[in-house]
C-alpha cells in the first residue's frame, strides 16, 4: 500500500484499550477542526469535526476534545480495534474562504 | 453513490516532463480541492475549484496548475517535473466550498507520482 508518512510519531495500543491521539494547532484564529483517518492505499476519511464554540464532541467510539487555551486537540478512540490501525490527521481552518491546514499525522498501531 | 475517483493511480515520469492528473468528484459535488502528500511535508493544499472557478491557491510554484470543467471534473497539471514533485496527489470533493463548514470533504485514493 501507500507509504503515507515514513517519519510519523507512532502510537501502539493493545486491542480493546482506549487510544488518545494528540494534535497541537498553530493558529489561534482557527475555529473549525477535523480529524481524518488514512489507511494504507486510501485517501483520508472524515472521522469527526468540532467547532471552536464547543470543547467536546462525541461520535461512535470516538470523542474529540478541544482546548483553545493551549491550542490542543485530541481524538479518543474507545475499545481500539485492529481496523483502527491507520494514520490520523487533524486539520484546522479559519472562518471564511480558507482551506484546511493539516497536521503531520500520527500512526496508530493496534496490537492484537 | 460512487466515491471520488482519480486517474491514473500510479504514474512514473522523468525530470522535465509534464503530467496531467484527473479527478472525478462525487456526483452532485461542485467543489474540488487538490493536495500534495509527502512523508516530509505531510498534506499540503494545492488549490480549490468551485463551479469552474479557482477559489484558493496554496503556496506552490506556477508549474502547478489546475482547472475544473462544467461537469465538475477537475484536472491538475505539473509542468517541468522535478524530483521533489514525487508525491501522492489527493483530490477531495464536497457539495459546497471547503470554507463553508457545512459539508465534509471526501477524498479519493490519490495518484502516486514518481519522478525519476
Amino acid at each position: 500500500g501507500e507509504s503515507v508518512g515514513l517519519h510519523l510519531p507512532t502510537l501502539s495500543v493493545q486491542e480493546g484499550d482506549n487510544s488518545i491521539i494528540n494534535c497541537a494547532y498553530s493558529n489561534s484564529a482557527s475555529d473549525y477542526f477535523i480529524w481524518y483517518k488514512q489507511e494504507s492505499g486510501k485517501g483520508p476519511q472524515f472521522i469527526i469535526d468540532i467547532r471552536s464554540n464547543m470543547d467536546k464532541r462525541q461520535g461512535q467510539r470516538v470523542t474529540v476534545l478541544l482546548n483553545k487555551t493551549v491550542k490542543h486537540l485530541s481524538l479518543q478512540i474507545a475499545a481500539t480495534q485492529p481496523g483502527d490501525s491507520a494514520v490520523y490527521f487533524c486539520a484546522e481552518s479559519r472562518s471564511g474562504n480558507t482551506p484546511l491546514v493539516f497536521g503531520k499525522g500520527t500512526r496508530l498501531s493496534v496490537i492484537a | 453513490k460512487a466515491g471520488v475517483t482519480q486517474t491514473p493511480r500510479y504514474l512514473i515520469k522523468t525530470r522535465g516532463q509534464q503530467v496531467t492528473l484527473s479527478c472525478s468528484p462525487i456526483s452532485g459535488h461542485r467543489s474540488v480541492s487538490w493536495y500534495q502528500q509527502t512523508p516530509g511535508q505531510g498534506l499540503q493544499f494545492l488549490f480549490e475549484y468551485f463551479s469552474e472557478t479557482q477559489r484558493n491557491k496554496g503556496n506552490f510554484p506556477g508549474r502547478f496548475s489546475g482547472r475544473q470543467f462544467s461537469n465538475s471534473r477537475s484536472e491538475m497539471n505539473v509542468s517541468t517535473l522535478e524530483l521533489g514533485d514525487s508525491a501522492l496527489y489527493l483530490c477531495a470533493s464536497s457539495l459546497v466550498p471547503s470554507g463553508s463548514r457545512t459539508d465534509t470533504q471526501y477524498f479519493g485514493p490519490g495518484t502516486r507520482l514518481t519522478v525519476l
Side-chain angles (χ1 to χ4, degrees):
Chain A
E2 305 293 351
S3 178
V4 175
L6 298 177
H7 310 293
L8 296 174
T10 298
L11 174 67
S12 296
V13 298
Q14 205 74 33
E15 181 180 359
D17 287 351
N18 296 334
S19 303
I20 300 176
I21 301 170
N22 297 304
C23 175
Y25 63 93
S26 56
N27 193 335
S28 56
S30 293
D31 61 356
Y32 180 59
F33 306 88
I34 309 175
W35 279 100
Y36 281 92
K37 170 187 180 183
Q38 187 173 21
E39 297 173 276
S40 182
K42 298 182 180 179
Q45 177 185 6
F46 173 90
I47 302 174
I48 192 168
D49 61 359
I50 189 168
R51 302 180 195 280
S52 59
N53 61 350
M54 303 172 70
D55 52 23
K56 180 179 180 179
R57 190 164 188 222
Q58 289 183 289
Q60 187 176 13
R61 280 201 311 119
V62 296
T63 301
V64 56
L65 299 178
L66 174 62
N67 186 329
K68 295 182 288 293
T69 302
V70 295
K71 291 189 288 186
H72 184 267
L73 197 65
S74 69
L75 177 70
Q76 301 177 1
I77 304 174
T80 312
Q81 302 168 0
D84 294 327
S85 292
V87 177
Y88 290 80
F89 295 95
C90 66
E92 60 181 294
S93 181
R94 300 193 317 271
S95 294
N97 186 26
T98 59
L100 292 173
V101 175
F102 284 81
K104 295 295 187 188
T106 296
R107 187 181 303 279
L108 175 64
S109 178
V110 180
I111 306 164
Chain B
K1 185 183 281 192
V4 178
T5 58
Q6 292 187 246
T7 57
R9 290 294 311 277
Y10 301 91
L11 204 50
I12 299 175
K13 292 285 188 179
T14 56
R15 280 180 298 175
Q17 287 187 310
Q18 75 157 12
V19 67
T20 299
L21 311 181
S22 180
C23 171
S24 293
I26 292 172
S27 178
H29 285 193
R30 294 165 61 192
S31 173
V32 173
S33 297
W34 288 90
Y35 297 85
Q36 181 195 65
Q37 186 174 35
T38 60
Q41 298 299 318
L43 267 159
Q44 292 190 293
F45 172 78
L46 279 157
F47 26 65
E48 179 188 10
Y49 288 87
F50 180 76
S51 295
E52 302 178 66
T53 300
Q54 187 179 86
R55 296 186 72 249
N56 272 306
K57 191 177 192 304
N59 189 26
F60 279 82
R63 299 185 297 108
F64 292 81
S65 63
R67 59 178 176 169
Q68 186 180 34
F69 302 95
S70 58
N71 62 357
S72 294
R73 190 177 70 85
S74 177
E75 289 182 346
M76 67 162 282
N77 183 276
V78 188
S79 62
T80 320
L81 284 166
E82 300 177 0
L83 295 179
D85 296 333
S86 294
L88 181 67
Y89 289 89
L90 290 159
C91 161
S93 79
S94 57
L95 279 168
V96 295
S98 62
S100 68
R101 308 285 188 284
T102 59
D103 191 42
T104 302
Q105 282 192 324
Y106 295 87
F107 282 82
T111 294
R112 168 66 67 184
L113 172 64
T114 301
V115 182
L116 302 176

